[in-house]
Amino acid sequence: MRDAWKRLGSFTAVGTVAFIVDIAVFNILSSGLGMGPISSKVSSVALATGVSWWGSRHFTFRGFGGRAKRQEAILFGLTNLVGLGIATACLFVSHYVLGFRSPLADNISGNVIGVLLGNVFRYLAYRFVVFQSPHRASDGRSGVEAAAPGKSPE
């Protein structure tokens, strides 16, 4: 259980850095350079994904190298596309459907609500799909089955 809390803390730290990159780039592009909100969000998430990949790979899930790096990278990218879809959907609904078009409204919908919901999805996908434990990847069993008798896989 202690390892799970440490991993969650590391995920939060890596995510915070990626979040700062995401917000900064989004605001520079949308407010500073006049790009549209959706294009700005896609660009900012793409850059933040690179930051997140590096941090997740080297810190949060460094002991979970059960997949080939190429397969892991593809799954990581796909996971982040879904996370981007969640954040972009929140921004789209707020900006275009509900008509909240201020920079503050765009930031709340895309960078608070959207990122929060996307991060819940990302953590679960990274933990259980992208960065598999070596036991799961090597023998195809779940972490519970692969753990030593009487010991939790966390």
Side-chain angles (χ1 to χ4, degrees):
M1 186 61 138
R2 184 172 179 227
D3 287 343
W5 282 109
K6 285 173 67 176
R7 191 171 35 256
L8 186 58
S10 177
F11 176 80
T12 301
V14 168
T16 298
V17 172
F19 180 68
I20 290 167
V21 169
D22 184 7
I23 288 177
V25 171
F26 174 79
N27 282 291
I28 289 167
L29 295 176
S30 66
S31 296
L33 300 178
M35 248 174 122
I38 303 299
S39 300
S40 296
K41 190 65 182 166
V42 170
S43 299
S44 68
V45 167
L47 188 57
T49 296
V51 170
S52 179
W53 165 258
W54 188 85
S56 294
R57 185 87 182 106
H58 295 285
F59 294 106
T60 307
F61 299 104
R62 70 175 168 248
F64 287 77
R67 293 186 184 276
K69 285 186 182 179
R70 182 176 180 194
Q71 183 183 24
E72 205 170 76
I74 290 168
L75 288 171
F76 191 88
L78 291 173
T79 298
N80 279 282
L81 281 175
V82 173
L84 170 60
I86 292 168
T88 304
C90 292
L91 179 59
F92 180 87
V93 168
S94 173
H95 193 88
Y96 295 107
V97 176
L98 300 176
F100 299 124
R101 296 171 188 244
S102 72
L104 178 62
D106 287 347
N107 274 287
I108 290 171
S109 62
N111 293 324
V112 176
I113 298 167
V115 168
L116 178 65
L117 294 175
N119 277 347
V120 170
F121 169 77
R122 281 183 187 95
Y123 180 80
L124 294 172
Y126 294 168
R127 172 64 181 90
F128 295 106
V129 178
V130 178
F131 299 104
Q132 284 190 333
S133 71
H135 296 294
R136 285 185 181 176
S138 65
D139 65 13
R141 297 184 301 170
S142 73
V144 173
E145 295 166 359
K151 184 172 180 184
S152 169
E154 294 294 319

